[in-house]
Amino acid sequence: AQSVTQPDIHITVSEGASLELRCNYSYGATPYLFWYVQSPGQGLQLLLKYFSGDTLVQGIKGFEAEFKRSQSSFNLRKPSVHWSDAAEYFCAVGASNDYKLSFGAGTTVTVRA
Amino acid sequence: ETGVTQTPRHLVMGMTNKKSLKCEQHLGHNAMYWYKQSAKKPLELMFVYNFKEQTENNSVPSRFSPECPNSSHLFLHLHTLQPEDSALYLCASSQYRDISYEQYFGPGTRLTVT
């Protein structure tokens, strides 16, 4: 079975600074990888996903993520954060022959002025 | 209404009450999901319906009873809950029950069991 670890529970970043959120997964075959964002009082919204091909994936809201098979990682990055990026971020992994997603516990991002 | 809606948004109930959570998707999807989100824990998949048929019951206690009368509506009936059932309950839908199809989430129902 697949699993996801998000090592950082909480990250605080200044507005305009860069952001990187870590995600490590455990899965024997090629994983399907996802990043979701949850703003306060909202459901989860898909930021980006990786199935195959180019290991650098572009998403919405200026986010990107890089799949590194050798490190079993799929870290999320944004060059310059905005106050509206304050939210909780979830990494998830799935398998090509299944429909279930395994989620990490999430990383809360606080943006300071 | 657009996307996935959930009602009520907040619910406080005693352990002996019976209540229901409602989810409606306006996306024409065929698969619907219930998740439980507890603080600082990974989302837990509870139930999955595909074309109105239940295809997944992830060892959920019988005090949670799902119902899917059609592809657009999903209910979660609650009775004799425990305080540890307090959580955010999220509904999601996707075009098909397949990993390649994005799951769209509702805003959730915040449940507090007293």
Side-chain angles (χ1 to χ4, degrees):
Chain A
Q2 56 266 35
S3 65
V4 173
T5 301
Q6 293 182 245
D8 304 303
I9 296 174
H10 191 190
I11 286 180
T12 298
V13 61
S14 298
E15 192 168 15
S18 63
L19 174 68
E20 181 167 13
L21 304 182
R22 296 183 290 164
C23 171
N24 294 100
Y25 68 89
S26 173
Y27 182 58
T30 300
Y32 282 31
L33 294 159
F34 306 79
W35 273 102
Y36 285 85
V37 61
Q38 185 178 32
S39 298
Q42 303 294 317
L44 278 68
Q45 180 184 20
L46 182 67
L47 284 175
L48 47 79
K49 61 188 178 185
Y50 171 79
F51 288 173
S52 64
D54 192 344
T55 57
L56 185 61
V57 181
Q58 301 298 320
I60 62 171
K61 305 186 180 190
F63 285 92
E64 66 177 26
E66 186 171 13
F67 171 57
K68 292 186 177 180
R69 183 187 299 276
S70 62
Q71 298 177 19
S72 297
S73 69
F74 188 58
N75 294 348
L76 182 72
R77 298 192 293 256
K78 185 169 184 177
S80 176
V81 299
H82 186 262
W83 63 266
S84 60
D85 293 322
E88 191 156 20
Y89 293 78
F90 295 91
C91 182
V93 63
S96 60
N97 60 348
D98 198 356
Y99 58 88
K100 298 177 208 175
L101 294 173
S102 294
F103 286 86
T107 297
T108 301
V109 173
T110 298
V111 180
R112 59 181 174 221
Chain B
E1 293 280 11
T2 59
V4 181
T5 58
Q6 292 187 244
T7 55
R9 295 293 308 274
H10 300 270
L11 178 62
V12 179
M13 60 185 288
M15 289 190 284
T16 58
N17 291 158
K18 288 185 179 181
K19 296 286 185 183
S20 296
L21 309 185
K22 178 183 176 183
C23 173
E24 184 173 2
Q25 59 95 357
H26 309 267
L27 301 167
H29 289 169
N30 297 294
M32 296 188 77
Y33 312 76
W34 277 118
Y35 287 90
K36 177 182 180 183
Q37 184 179 19
S38 302
K40 294 308 170 189
K41 292 177 66 176
L43 268 71
E44 301 172 48
L45 180 64
M46 300 174 71
F47 302 104
V48 181
Y49 278 81
N50 193 40
F51 291 92
K52 302 187 296 179
E53 298 298 319
Q54 184 176 319
T55 62
E56 182 84 19
N57 177 339
N58 202 19
S59 303
V60 180
S62 59
R63 58 186 183 269
F64 294 90
S65 174
E67 179 190 2
C68 188
N70 55 60
S71 292
S72 298
H73 294 85
L74 186 64
F75 295 89
L76 188 61
H77 304 299
L78 317 171
H79 65 97
T80 59
L81 295 189
Q82 304 298 309
E84 60 265 29
D85 297 322
S86 298
L88 182 67
Y89 289 85
L90 293 168
C91 173
S93 70
S94 62
Q95 181 66 52
Y96 298 107
R97 194 199 62 179
D98 187 281
I99 195 74
S100 59
Y101 289 91
E102 178 180 347
Q103 291 186 28
Y104 291 79
F105 287 80
T109 294
R110 173 70 63 188
L111 174 67
T112 302
V113 181
T114 61

